[in-house]
């Protein structure tokens, strides 16, 4: 055993079932372990490293900002945060941004903004309920665990915050019934349920969520923590549809490898959060914000259409192949239902130099959006072989 894994065993809280690899370096879409072995990255550190590793503009922006100023807190103004918020609002159709450091925090802000909007409009505790979907995933803090629509997450750590209700996905009647209680401030959805097994919601259902929330005076909130930042072939996945949500959370790929989350506030809630109502010491940190600007600059329409093309390539190569039951997802966020046990499959792929993920009972692929075609083709060939074994 290497010293690193021994130190983990001795000193790191035992919260993760880790694969037996220590990565030391990355280059483009490749990762290298401590023995110098090269891997094709088909996981991006869970949808984070959207530009791969060592992207020149990203690295230059991070180094320059670390050199100039790494942190001052939100008691003051900093340039990268302003520039990033401007870009995000221009590209998303949202009006203001609150910056945090993770997906869970972005969702905490989203929940607080929805509750405050409702309290301001209807009175405190009149419509506090945030409706989420069965099989969703919204984070690991107490409130976002409560928001997560999976019973497996609702034990051990209680009592949990109240004011959440769950409905089955793609069931418009169930949504109507819960909205009829007149207690709902927001309906929160992932357009593609990532941790829930890469399950896309039906477009007609998403349209219905938009129409019904409007009809009932509730907010439509979209968790774009995993689907955002180009992952599905649009900057944000709701941009595949013809409407805007009222609130959006995002994180994972936002800063291309540094911790950053954001809650994007649409027209209705743009002025809901007031001084003192929310905060974060590190939120909008200049180094993370400079990194995120470098990411945004590179998520061009050309790159996004490449994401769509690459996703279609993977789908066409794996659909109907031996050992494959089906391929779900959108863009470069794909789930492969397969005959093999997914954890064992990931281990076999690691041995062959391909890094993949699982989601529920599926193999999950989330490669860097910039993965070169030759690396992608090689990874897909190996994945196809292992699926068929
Ligand atoms: C990963 C994820 C989160 C949680 O993000 P963290 O950065 O781990 O807190 C929330 N929602 C969705 C949809 C996610 O995929």
């Amino acid at each position: 055993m290497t010293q690193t894994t021994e130190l983990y065993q001795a000193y790191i809280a035992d919260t993760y079932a880790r694969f037996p690899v220590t990565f030391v370096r990355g280059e483009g879409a490749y990762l290298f372990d401590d023995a110098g072995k090269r891997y094709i990255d088909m996981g991006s550190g869970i949808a984070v490293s959207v530009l791969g590793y060592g992207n020149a503009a990203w690295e230059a922006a991070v180094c320059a900002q670390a050199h100039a100023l790494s942190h001052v807190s939100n008691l003051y103004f900093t340039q990268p945060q302003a520039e990033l918020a401007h870009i995000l609002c221009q590209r998303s159709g949202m009006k203001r941004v609150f910056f945090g450091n993770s997906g869970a925090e972005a969702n905490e802000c989203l929940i607080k903004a929805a509750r405050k909007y409702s309290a301001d409009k209807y009175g405190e505790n009149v419509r506090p309920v945030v409706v989420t979907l069965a099989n969703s995933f919204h984070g690991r803090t107490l409130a976002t665990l409560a928001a997560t629509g999976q019973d497996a997450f609702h034990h051990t750590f209680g009592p949990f915050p109240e004011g959440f209700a769950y409905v089955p996905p793609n069931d418009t009647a169930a949504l109507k019934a819960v909205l009829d209680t007149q207690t709902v401030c927001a309906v929160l959805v992932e357009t593609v349920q990532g941790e829930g097994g890469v399950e896309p919601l039906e477009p007609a259902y998403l349209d219905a969520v938009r129409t019904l929330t409007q009809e009932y005076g509730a907010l439509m909130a979209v968790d774009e923590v995993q689907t955002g930042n180009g992952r599905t072939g649009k900057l944000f996945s709701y941009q595949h549809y013809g409407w805007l949500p009222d609130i959006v959370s995002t994180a994972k790929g936002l800063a291309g490898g540094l911790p950053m989350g954001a809650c994007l506030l649409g027209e209705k809630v743009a002025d809901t959060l007031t001084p003192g109502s929310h905060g974060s010491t590190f939120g909008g940190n200049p180094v993370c914000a400079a990194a995120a600007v470098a990411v945004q600059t590179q998520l061009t329409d050309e790159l996004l259409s490449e994401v769509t093309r690459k996703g279609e390539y993977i789908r066409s190569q794996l659909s109907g192949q031996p050992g494959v039951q089906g391929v779900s997802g959108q863009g470069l966020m794909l789930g492969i239902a397969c005959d093999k046990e997914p954890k064992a499959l990931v281990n076999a792929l690691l041995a062959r130099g391909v890094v993949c993920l699982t989601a529920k009972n599926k193999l999950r692929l989330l490669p860097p959006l910039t993965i070169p075609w030759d690396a992608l083709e090689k990874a897909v060939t190996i994945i196809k072989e292992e699926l068929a074994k």
Side-chain angles (χ1 to χ4, degrees):
M1 213 191 302
T2 64
Q3 204 202 2
T4 299
T5 57
E6 278 166 14
L7 292 171
Y8 265 70
Q9 257 170 29
Y11 299 113
I12 302 272
D14 195 20
T15 57
Y16 303 99
R18 293 176 209 273
F19 291 98
V21 191
T22 302
F23 288 117
V24 294
R25 195 166 71 79
E27 200 181 298
Y30 294 96
L31 287 166
F32 297 84
D33 71 12
D34 55 356
K37 178 177 167 182
R38 190 176 85 158
Y39 301 77
I40 305 170
D41 182 17
M42 294 294 283
S44 306
I46 320 182
V48 167
S49 307
V50 288
L51 304 177
Y53 308 93
N55 177 269
W58 183 92
E59 196 176 308
V62 169
C63 292
Q65 189 58 47
H67 183 72
L69 180 69
S70 58
H71 176 83
V72 286
S73 88
N74 282 302
L75 297 173
Y76 315 98
F77 298 93
T78 54
Q79 288 161 350
Q81 187 177 151
E83 190 183 350
L84 176 60
H86 184 206
I87 296 171
L88 286 173
C89 287
Q90 282 196 317
R91 299 190 75 185
S92 68
M94 298 292 109
K95 300 296 179 197
R96 291 182 189 276
V97 185
F98 178 87
F99 288 112
N101 313 283
S102 68
E105 264 185 282
N107 282 332
E108 289 274 346
C109 178
L110 181 151
I111 294 161
K112 283 181 74 176
R115 293 243 174 100
K116 184 164 186 300
Y117 170 82
S118 179
D120 291 348
K121 191 169 172 187
Y122 302 107
E124 212 158 329
N125 284 320
V126 176
R127 290 184 172 211
V129 174
V130 176
V131 174
T132 65
L133 302 186
N135 198 43
S136 59
F137 181 80
H138 298 296
R140 296 284 194 161
T141 62
L142 286 169
T144 57
L145 277 177
T148 292
Q150 302 185 48
D151 290 340
F153 290 99
H154 297 163
H155 58 77
T156 312
F157 306 107
F160 292 96
E162 297 170 7
F164 294 92
Y166 317 97
V167 293
N170 302 317
D171 183 340
T172 307
L175 181 63
K176 245 190 196 147
V178 73
L179 287 167
D180 268 331
T181 63
Q182 301 290 340
T183 59
V184 175
C185 65
V187 178
L188 170 61
V189 300
E190 300 156 87
T191 63
V192 182
Q193 296 186 320
E195 302 304 311
V198 200
E199 300 285 358
L201 297 187
E202 289 166 10
Y205 179 74
L206 287 165
D207 291 345
V209 174
R210 179 62 288 184
T211 311
L212 286 173
T213 46
Q214 214 133 28
E215 214 171 278
Y216 281 83
L219 301 168
M220 178 175 185
V222 182
D223 181 339
E224 296 262 10
V225 170
Q226 190 162 155
T227 51
N229 309 294
R231 182 53 56 188
T232 70
K234 298 276 186 191
L235 186 60
F236 293 103
S237 69
Y238 64 79
Q239 293 172 327
H240 290 285
Y241 309 95
W243 37 256
L244 287 178
D246 300 305
I247 321 186
V248 176
S249 56
T250 191
K252 290 196 167 91
L254 180 60
L258 288 178
M260 180 171 239
C263 182
L264 312 180
L265 305 159
E267 188 113 55
K268 279 189 193 156
V269 290
D271 298 317
T272 296
L273 296 174
T274 47
S277 62
H278 198 42
S280 164
T281 300
F282 282 115
N285 168 276
V287 179
C288 299
V293 169
V295 170
Q296 285 293 323
T297 310
Q298 293 181 68
L299 294 182
T300 58
D301 289 345
E302 294 71 43
L303 186 124
L304 294 174
S305 46
E306 274 285 278
V307 168
T308 302
R309 267 197 293 281
K310 287 170 183 168
E312 279 163 4
Y313 167 77
I314 299 174
R315 209 182 261 277
S316 70
Q317 288 295 305
L318 298 182
S319 297
Q321 291 299 307
V324 177
Q325 294 160 13
V327 183
S328 65
Q330 196 173 30
L332 285 175
M333 177 174 178
L334 294 169
I336 293 123
C338 48
D339 295 346
K340 287 191 128 185
E341 198 279 309
K343 276 263 153 62
L345 185 59
V346 168
N347 271 312
L349 287 164
L350 272 177
R352 295 196 59 189
V354 181
V355 178
C356 294
L357 306 167
T358 63
K360 286 274 165 80
N361 58 346
K362 290 181 183 172
L363 182 71
R364 176 167 47 156
L365 306 179
L366 298 166
L369 307 182
T370 54
I371 187 170
W373 278 97
D374 61 339
L376 182 63
E377 285 163 13
K378 193 168 167 211
V380 167
T381 303
I382 294 169
I383 292 168
K384 208 194 288 187
E385 285 169 12
E386 287 301 321
L387 283 162
K389 267 187 189 168

